[in-house]
Amino acid sequence: MADDCIFCKIRDGDIPSEILHRDDHCFAIRDIGPAAPTHLLVIPVEHFTFLRDMTPEFHPTLGAMFAAARDLAAAEGIDESGHRLVINQGNHAGQAVDHLHLHVLGGRPMGPVA
Ligand code: AMP
Ligand code: ZN
C-alpha cells in the first residue's frame, strides 16, 4: 500500500468508484479519462509499480487480471469487435499512476500501437 496511491484508495473505498469486477487478485474500474468508448482498468489488489516487482508468488494475479479483462471485454460488448490491452511501464510509456494496471480499450478502430 502506498499512502498517496489513488488506486489503493479506490481499492479501499476511500475514493468512491464503481467497481465493475473484484476478486482475490484484482479489481476493475472505468478510466476517468476514457481514450476510447470503452476504457477500463484492471488493477491488482496488491500495490505493484512494475511487472518486474511481481515475484512468482504473484504470477496467478497476472492470470486473474487477463481473465478479468477477457470477461469484462465480453460484458462490454467489445470482444468480437476487438479491443486492446495495454500496460504502461515507466517514463517512456507515459505511466502516470505508479500502481500497475491493465488498460482495456475498445469500441472504435484503433491505429498502430505507437
Ligand atoms: P497510465 O498512463 O498507464 O499510468 O494510466 C493511468 C490512467 O489512470 C489514465 O488513463 C487516467 O485517466 C486513469 N485515472 C487516473 N485517476 C483515475 C481515477 N480516479 N479513476 C479512474 N481512472 C483514473
Ligand atoms: Zn496503489
Side-chain angles (χ1 to χ4, degrees), residues 1-8 11 44-50 53 97-100:
M1 160 72 178
D3 284 346
D4 57 351
C5 174
I6 199 153
F7 291 168
C8 283
R11 175 199 62 204
V45 169
E46 199 84 18
H47 180 105
F48 304 100
T49 299
F50 299 116
D53 301 328
V97 175
D98 76 354
H99 186 139
L100 186 98

Side-chain angles (χ1 to χ4, degrees), residues 3-23:
D3 284 346
D4 57 351
C5 174
I6 199 153
F7 291 168
C8 283
K9 288 179 178 166
I10 290 173
R11 175 199 62 204
D12 295 341
D14 295 335
I15 295 176
S17 185
E18 183 192 1
I19 306 295
L20 305 174
H21 166 92
R22 190 191 287 273
D23 62 39

Side-chain angles (χ1 to χ4, degrees), residues 59-106:
H59 288 181
T61 296
L62 288 172
M65 289 170 64
F66 280 93
R70 176 200 62 202
D71 294 347
L72 286 160
E76 293 282 321
I78 56 168
D79 185 10
E80 296 197 2
S81 54
H83 52 279
R84 179 171 286 167
L85 305 180
V86 174
I87 299 178
N88 290 319
Q89 293 279 270
N91 286 340
H92 282 189
Q95 184 176 3
V97 175
D98 76 354
H99 186 139
L100 186 98
H101 48 282
L102 174 63
H103 296 258
V104 182
L105 298 144

Side-chain angles (χ1 to χ4, degrees), residues 19-47:
I19 306 295
L20 305 174
H21 166 92
R22 190 191 287 273
D23 62 39
D24 288 346
H25 296 281
C26 64
F27 62 101
I29 59 174
R30 289 191 196 283
D31 196 291
I32 203 168
T38 298
H39 188 170
L40 313 180
L41 301 173
V42 181
I43 305 167
V45 169
E46 199 84 18
H47 180 105

